[in-house]
Amino acid sequence: MMVPEAGPPRRNVQATSVALDAEFHEELPQEPITQPEVLPRERRGARRLAAGERWIARMLRTGAITSGAMFVTSLGLELLPRDESVHVAIDLLRKGAASMLLVTPVARLAMAGTLLGLRGEWRYAAIAAGVIGLLALAVGAGFQA
């Protein structure tokens, strides 16, 4: 008499089918499930937060790359013969690159404040709006001086 071995079945053994009772077969759902399970609120919030962080990272990366490209282009224009139009283009590109480097963090602050407001975190959205307001006031006062 052979005693069956304990543990998992051996590999490369042909699978066998098991007949189900008719009662059990009727209990199974007849229609395929078409709607995925709804994610819990916490997981949806985490996904939204991750998407917001990706938008902010994308914006910062775009600002840095654009600014760097403008600066490198201005350096490339230095190789051209000195002409008034080349000098103006170099000046505009360098001022634009510096402005882009200064504006990118402010735009990040505005985007973060908006995303915080959309998430319902009003205190932090108000703080971000206050900081942007103070920056605008400082820039305005600087222009008048």
Side-chain angles (χ1 to χ4, degrees):
M1 175 175 180
M2 289 188 64
V3 177
E5 292 181 21
R10 295 179 304 155
R11 290 182 172 222
N12 299 330
V13 176
Q14 187 174 6
T16 57
S17 61
V18 178
L20 298 176
D21 295 339
E23 296 172 9
F24 181 74
H25 183 68
E26 291 174 3
E27 293 176 13
L28 295 176
Q30 300 299 323
E31 297 180 17
I33 299 173
T34 56
Q35 293 292 329
E37 292 183 27
V38 178
L39 292 174
R41 185 178 201 128
E42 297 84 24
R43 290 181 67 192
R44 280 184 287 169
R47 278 189 173 173
R48 218 178 296 143
L49 177 64
E53 289 175 357
R54 272 184 259 128
W55 274 101
I56 290 172
R58 231 179 257 142
M59 185 185 56
L60 289 172
R61 192 176 315 117
T62 302
I65 289 171
T66 304
S67 176
M70 290 169 76
F71 185 70
V72 168
T73 304
S74 75
L75 289 176
L77 289 177
E78 291 277 348
L79 300 174
L80 294 177
R82 287 290 177 180
D83 186 14
E84 183 68 27
S85 61
V86 173
H87 184 66
V88 169
I90 290 171
D91 190 47
L92 284 175
L93 282 170
R94 288 193 180 156
K95 287 180 180 177
S99 297
M100 182 73 74
L101 281 177
L102 293 173
V103 168
T104 300
V106 177
R108 181 233 182 262
L109 181 63
M111 182 176 282
T114 302
L115 291 171
L116 288 168
L118 290 174
R119 285 183 39 206
E121 296 185 22
W122 301 111
R123 177 186 295 170
Y124 298 113
I127 291 170
V131 169
I132 290 173
L134 287 173
L135 283 171
L137 184 67
V139 169
F143 280 136
Q144 291 181 4

